Amino acid sequence: MLTEHETHTESSPQSQPEGSPRNPPGSSQQQPRRRPLDRPQSPPRARAGSRPRTPARTGEDTGGPQAPPAPQPLGARRLWPRSFADRLTSPLPGVRALARVAREGALRPSSDALREVADIPREPGPLPGADAATVAVTWAGHASWIVRIGGLTVLTDPVWSRRIPGTPARVTPVGVAWEDLPPVDAVVISHNHYDHLDAATVRRLPRDTHVFVPAGLARWFRKRGFTSVTDLDWWEGAELPGPDGGRVRVDFVPAHHWSRRTLTDTCRSLWGGWMLTEERGRRVYFAGDTGYGHWFAEIGRRFPGIDLALLPIGAYEPRWMLGPVHTSPEEAVRACEDVGARAMAPMHWGTFLLSGEPPMEPLERVRAAWAGTGRPREDLWDLPVGASRVLREQR
């Protein structure tokens, strides 16, 4: 999302426990070293004062597979660099690009196309029953999912508000009423843009909810009274205890995107996706907001056997501006293949109209792209808003 106007002053880095290491997780002491299958994009030059890149971030040759790094402690207070601009994989739009968008009105569908809003499928229903052996997802709309895994209920980028700053009101109601949610054990946030981090929804959460956020974003939650906030760098993970003695691993992975919540905090916090893995090895990948690029193949190498990928398919027009940060439907299908996921569930469409494509076009195009791969139709989980699906056992 490119229009964000709320004002706040949260820009200082996090504190860190005395004596804790400051080596970035991409360093040779902490990162598994793996060999990439594709050539990554050339990284932009780091800004003055930013932390230098490491091989694990740029996708350089990093050797053979190893076990994932040890989990980070829950709720640790950590120091981060002031800027993560060195993680960008494409330049951000400048003044001329923004002026062109405003002149062309390119971030809004035509009035004729808006008639398609009535065709966006909605099937709100009860959430499926879930226990420690169940993996199930329910699409609440946009990038908000209710994920049931390892006996836990995890919300992704929860936005239950009708309006958010800087965008038109949502065109489809939330798929699951807040009062119908089971107790929420954890929340994962992909980045700080308003359509993914909604202050009004966050206020509805119990303050002891476990919250997992990108590096540099923990302070935003702690200022609001949350007591278990874990911020992670790319390729870092933490573990959350389940109700039956099991554990769910939560790993933060890269994305091709950016962050900003005010006019003065561009890239002050990181952005990315989340990998949820239960003890039996079943995995759900939540991509957050992202363009297409080399990170998908690297994620697939580091996390083999992904069962379900929740991938964005909307907010992609005009391509000259949004292509680097939002996948098209065809790119989302390609990303699913890159990460090696068995099934794909489209998201980030049909809720907030953030760009110029007609409302139904993302769904039509992702179905066509999926059919073109020859993969089983039942592995495309093109859920209506409010619908659920339970993951079947691995073959």
PDB file of all heavy atoms in Angstrom, residues 49 248 308-310 319 360:
ATOM      1  N   GLY A  49      25.359   4.354   7.238  1.00  0.00           N
ATOM      2  CA  GLY A  49      24.951   4.043   8.602  1.00  0.00           C
ATOM      3  C   GLY A  49      24.135   2.783   8.723  1.00  0.00           C
ATOM      4  O   GLY A  49      23.804   2.362   9.824  1.00  0.00           O
ATOM      5  N   VAL A 248       4.827 -25.033  18.167  1.00  0.00           N
ATOM      6  CA  VAL A 248       4.700 -24.532  16.798  1.00  0.00           C
ATOM      7  C   VAL A 248       5.867 -23.584  16.552  1.00  0.00           C
ATOM      8  O   VAL A 248       6.085 -22.637  17.318  1.00  0.00           O
ATOM      9  CB  VAL A 248       3.363 -23.809  16.576  1.00  0.00           C
ATOM     10  CG1 VAL A 248       3.329 -23.142  15.202  1.00  0.00           C
ATOM     11  CG2 VAL A 248       2.195 -24.783  16.720  1.00  0.00           C
ATOM     12  N   LEU A 308       0.974 -25.537   2.393  1.00  0.00           N
ATOM     13  CA  LEU A 308       0.038 -24.520   1.921  1.00  0.00           C
ATOM     14  C   LEU A 308       0.735 -23.172   1.905  1.00  0.00           C
ATOM     15  O   LEU A 308       1.351 -22.775   2.905  1.00  0.00           O
ATOM     16  CB  LEU A 308      -1.193 -24.462   2.823  1.00  0.00           C
ATOM     17  CG  LEU A 308      -2.213 -23.363   2.530  1.00  0.00           C
ATOM     18  CD1 LEU A 308      -2.845 -23.553   1.149  1.00  0.00           C
ATOM     19  CD2 LEU A 308      -3.296 -23.331   3.604  1.00  0.00           C
ATOM     20  N   ALA A 309       0.625 -22.463   0.784  1.00  0.00           N
ATOM     21  CA  ALA A 309       1.160 -21.114   0.656  1.00  0.00           C
ATOM     22  C   ALA A 309       0.009 -20.130   0.519  1.00  0.00           C
ATOM     23  O   ALA A 309      -0.822 -20.266  -0.389  1.00  0.00           O
ATOM     24  CB  ALA A 309       2.092 -21.011  -0.541  1.00  0.00           C
ATOM     25  N   LEU A 310      -0.059 -19.162   1.420  1.00  0.00           N
ATOM     26  CA  LEU A 310      -1.035 -18.078   1.358  1.00  0.00           C
ATOM     27  C   LEU A 310      -0.360 -16.922   0.633  1.00  0.00           C
ATOM     28  O   LEU A 310       0.526 -16.267   1.177  1.00  0.00           O
ATOM     29  CB  LEU A 310      -1.456 -17.662   2.772  1.00  0.00           C
ATOM     30  CG  LEU A 310      -1.832 -18.800   3.730  1.00  0.00           C
ATOM     31  CD1 LEU A 310      -2.130 -18.259   5.121  1.00  0.00           C
ATOM     32  CD2 LEU A 310      -3.019 -19.588   3.193  1.00  0.00           C
ATOM     33  N   ARG A 319       1.383  -1.830 -13.365  1.00  0.00           N
ATOM     34  CA  ARG A 319       2.559  -2.659 -13.145  1.00  0.00           C
ATOM     35  C   ARG A 319       3.836  -1.842 -13.063  1.00  0.00           C
ATOM     36  O   ARG A 319       4.780  -2.208 -12.357  1.00  0.00           O
ATOM     37  CB  ARG A 319       2.699  -3.708 -14.264  1.00  0.00           C
ATOM     38  CG  ARG A 319       1.583  -4.717 -14.312  1.00  0.00           C
ATOM     39  CD  ARG A 319       1.400  -5.442 -12.995  1.00  0.00           C
ATOM     40  NE  ARG A 319       2.485  -6.364 -12.677  1.00  0.00           N
ATOM     41  CZ  ARG A 319       2.796  -6.755 -11.451  1.00  0.00           C
ATOM     42  NH1 ARG A 319       2.145  -6.255 -10.409  1.00  0.00           N
ATOM     43  NH2 ARG A 319       3.761  -7.608 -11.238  1.00  0.00           N
ATOM     44  N   MET A 360     -12.751  -8.365  -9.890  1.00  0.00           N
ATOM     45  CA  MET A 360     -12.762  -9.812 -10.088  1.00  0.00           C
ATOM     46  C   MET A 360     -11.593 -10.328 -10.919  1.00  0.00           C
ATOM     47  O   MET A 360     -11.392 -11.543 -11.008  1.00  0.00           O
ATOM     48  CB  MET A 360     -14.081 -10.233 -10.746  1.00  0.00           C
ATOM     49  CG  MET A 360     -15.274 -10.233  -9.799  1.00  0.00           C
ATOM     50  SD  MET A 360     -15.125 -11.493  -8.501  1.00  0.00           S
ATOM     51  CE  MET A 360     -15.281 -12.990  -9.472  1.00  0.00           C
TER      52      MET A 360
END
